[in-house]
Amino acid sequence: QVQLVESGGGLVQAVGSLRLSCAASGSIFSVNAMGWYRQAPGKQREVVAVIRSDGSTNYADSVKGRFTITRDNARNTVTLQMNGLKPEDAAVYYCNAYLTPLVSRDEYEYWGQGSQFTGSS
């Protein structure tokens, strides 16, 4: 059973900063692209940042210069470091990954359970 488990929701590092982590677990052959999406009340889910297996990244314009996405390939983990948080960053953040399970040669998309940032940081 492959799943993405998020952690760090509500964990405040400092005023205006928050770190979210997500680990892919299960029988996995490879983890390809990983990223974070967010959905605010009344809005559609939008991409925040993605990082590919080669380390290349893409960020939403609204978070460039404030958020940093990294990954630990040995642990199949992706982390979103959010600095300079603004009220408009309040949303439920979802981990996303494209990976290949051991039981298949195909790539599948997986989602984490969602981590809420209320804007209190």
Side-chain angles (χ1 to χ4, degrees):
Q1 184 74 17
V2 177
Q3 59 182 340
L4 301 182
V5 180
E6 302 175 13
S7 61
L11 179 62
V12 179
Q13 294 181 297
V15 176
S17 295
L18 184 66
R19 181 189 295 181
L20 299 178
S21 295
C22 173
S25 64
S27 300
I28 300 170
F29 176 75
S30 64
V31 178
N32 305 314
M34 303 187 79
W36 291 91
Y37 290 69
R38 67 184 181 187
Q39 186 168 21
K43 296 184 179 180
Q44 295 294 312
R45 186 175 299 185
E46 63 177 355
V47 63
V48 177
V50 295
I51 183 168
R52 286 165 286 278
S53 59
D54 63 1
S56 61
T57 59
N58 290 97
Y59 295 91
D61 290 339
S62 59
V63 306
K64 287 181 179 178
R66 300 188 297 119
F67 291 9
T68 302
I69 186 170
T70 58
R71 65 187 289 167
D72 184 338
N73 292 329
R75 300 176 180 177
N76 291 330
T77 300
V78 61
T79 298
L80 184 68
Q81 178 66 51
M82 302 186 291
N83 298 325
L85 288 165
K86 303 176 180 180
E88 53 263 42
D89 293 320
V92 177
Y93 286 74
Y94 296 91
C95 179
N96 171 264
Y98 286 88
L99 56 82
T100 302
L102 285 174
V103 297
S104 176
R105 297 185 181 275
D106 298 323
E107 186 179 68
Y108 294 87
E109 184 181 25
Y110 291 84
W111 292 94
Q113 77 275 15
S115 301
Q116 183 171 354
F117 167 59
T118 64
S120 61
S121 297

